[in-house]
Amino acid sequence: MIQPFTSDPLRWVAEDGLPIRELPDRFTPAVLRDLHREMVRAREFDKKLVTLLRQGRTTFYAQSSGMEATQVGLARSIRVGHDWVWPYYRDHALGLAMGVPLLDLISQCLGTNSDLCRGRQMPHHFAAQRQNFVSISSSIASQVPPAAGNAMAQKYLGVDEITVCTFGDGATSEGDWHAGMNMAGAAGAPCLFVCENNQWAISTNLRAQTASETIHIKAKAYGMPGYYVDGNDVVAVMEVVSHVAEGVRAGNGPALVECLTYRVGSHSNADADAEKNYRTREEVNAWLARDPITRVERLLDHLGEPVSAEERADLISAVHREVDEAVLRAEATGQPDWRIMFEDVYADTPVHLREQAAFLRNEQEGVGA
């Protein structure tokens, strides 16, 4: 039985890979290998994007290494393309696991002509229409009130969709977060709020920003259940989120799930020396020992289906080739033309914008003063 408001995170698999509870039948070795493959893909994508950043081929990136079990587990627990996702800026592993094409992510990070946003959005702030994956925003918790409104519309229309809204622990200190949670609770909206608690809001530790023992306990204030799960245990994430999502879908109102995990890399390229500035090496090493990918590998080993070193190396090489090919394809399309700044907003371009476009065109052609 999955209960809300537990004092300790719900777990199915220990850090040594041994099941703590009976492993559900759906987690066959084949399914676990698929989850492992998706998590490794996300981890290696993360590394490759950091390399692109250092090469100057993109200008912003927020790492999610260490959080793969939370994001992949969430993706496998909802109805992709049916439910709506309002993500936060660290959710590329979630997007990849939901089937967002890797080329689309790379193109958006590079701002090339193959970018569906046509180079207009900040790097690593993608959207995916087919997956109902709403555009990422860097404004902390700004996605929470509109996600609540999205869920209220779903209830009004009587559809069996739900809205999934993700955020980090830092977002729970923002007024927008409380407003959105309160609105969803009061309306009984079908919204699943997921806190990816990586314990650091840039350089602010969780204990420095809230007196609450946990994040999920805050759900009580808004009349909804709160669940606490080990976010580095992909089996636990899928079991809890699947259970809670279907309860939300059944008309039981919103719910909050807190996934306790850890961001082992920096917040973004803006604080690349994270460990030196505000975290101890000992703390990071302690969480590296709880790595979610290693946990799945140990579980498979326990089940007699080990992932060999050669198999893992081949998987990593395949991801690197996939990313490298996507980068070449994206860069081959070139950079967007300046004229796009006047497109895609108005059906009929206003006079003042037509005048500005003509002025710039003359300048580009060497005619203007």
Side-chain angles (χ1 to χ4, degrees):
M1 189 70 175
I2 297 173
Q3 296 289 343
F5 301 118
T6 55
S7 57
D8 297 311
L10 296 166
R11 307 171 79 191
W12 264 254
V13 180
E15 290 154 17
D16 60 5
L18 297 179
I20 298 171
R21 307 180 184 212
E22 183 177 355
L23 202 63
D25 291 341
R26 63 173 171 151
F27 291 100
T28 63
V31 168
L32 291 169
R33 280 183 175 275
D34 180 57
L35 292 168
H36 173 262
R37 188 180 306 110
E38 197 65 63
M39 291 164 68
V40 171
R41 184 174 183 239
R43 174 74 57 86
E44 296 307 314
F45 178 90
D46 212 49
K47 294 177 181 178
K48 293 291 283 184
L49 262 292
V50 171
T51 300
L52 290 174
L53 185 69
R54 290 171 177 166
Q55 292 172 341
R57 293 157 95 172
T58 187
T59 57
F60 178 83
Y61 187 68
Q63 299 178 57
S64 66
S65 288
M67 301 169 63
E68 295 88 357
T70 289
Q71 295 189 21
V72 172
L74 172 58
R76 297 302 174 85
S77 303
I78 61 174
R79 301 183 190 178
V80 176
H82 181 74
D83 297 330
W84 285 75
V85 176
W86 289 76
Y88 95 121
Y89 52 78
R90 208 175 296 281
D91 275 341
H92 73 266
L94 173 60
L96 284 170
M98 288 175 63
V100 177
L102 187 141
L103 176 61
D104 289 354
L105 267 69
I106 292 291
S107 297
Q108 200 283 318
C109 286
L110 301 184
T112 60
N113 276 319
S114 52
D115 173 20
L116 300 178
C117 298
R118 306 183 76 186
R120 295 189 178 105
Q121 175 66 296
M122 182 176 175
H124 197 224
H125 287 57
F126 60 95
Q129 185 176 18
R130 182 172 296 178
Q131 286 78 16
N132 291 342
F133 191 98
V134 180
S135 181
I136 291 172
S137 171
S138 270
S139 301
I140 307 301
S142 63
Q143 73 274 27
V144 181
N150 196 100
M152 290 167 67
Q154 290 168 330
K155 180 178 180 180
Y156 175 79
L157 293 171
V159 296
D160 71 342
E161 305 167 358
I162 67 170
T163 295
V164 179
C165 179
T166 66
F167 42 84
D169 46 291
T172 66
S173 294
E174 295 286 339
D176 276 352
W177 186 82
H178 294 276
M181 292 284 289
N182 185 63
M183 188 162 57
C191 196
L192 171 57
F193 296 100
V194 180
C195 177
E196 300 178 32
N197 180 6
N198 63 32
Q199 305 177 62
W200 285 96
I202 307 184
S203 59
T204 303
N205 182 270
L206 182 65
R207 295 277 66 86
Q209 66 170 307
T210 181
S212 299
E213 292 181 8
T214 60
I215 298 297
H216 78 283
I217 200 72
K218 297 175 185 284
K220 289 188 176 183
Y222 306 107
M224 64 181 77
Y227 296 84
Y228 195 24
V229 61
D230 182 344
N232 282 14
D233 177 357
V234 70
V235 174
V237 173
M238 289 179 63
E239 283 296 288
V240 173
V241 174
S242 296
H243 169 79
V244 178
E246 291 314 304
V248 171
R249 196 183 311 280
N252 297 331
L256 170 63
V257 175
E258 175 187 358
C259 297
L260 183 64
T261 182
Y262 194 79
R263 163 175 60 80
V264 297
S266 61
H267 167 74
S268 72
N269 51 296
D271 68 332
D273 293 325
E275 296 87 353
K276 297 177 184 178
N277 293 337
Y278 52 80
R279 301 194 297 196
T280 65
R281 192 68 237 174
E282 291 74 20
E283 176 185 317
V284 176
N285 287 339
W287 278 93
L288 285 171
R290 303 171 69 177
D291 183 76
I293 296 176
T294 302
R295 192 180 306 196
V296 175
E297 292 173 346
R298 289 171 175 167
L299 175 58
L300 283 165
D301 189 54
H302 168 70
L303 296 175
E305 297 281 346
V307 177
S308 68
E310 181 181 5
E311 183 181 355
R312 198 178 198 281
D314 288 345
L315 177 56
I316 290 172
S317 295
V319 177
H320 288 195
R321 287 194 302 272
E322 182 185 15
V323 173
D324 290 342
E325 290 169 4
V327 169
L328 292 176
R329 286 180 62 190
E331 291 183 333
T333 66
Q335 296 296 313
D337 187 83
W338 62 267
R339 294 173 181 83
I340 71 162
M341 75 173 77
F342 298 102
E343 299 173 3
D344 300 334
V345 177
Y346 296 98
D348 297 311
T349 306
V351 172
H352 72 283
L353 289 183
R354 292 202 299 269
E355 291 174 347
Q356 291 176 23
F359 176 80
L360 281 175
R361 182 168 56 252
N362 290 336
E363 280 205 334
Q364 293 292 320
E365 295 172 354
V367 177

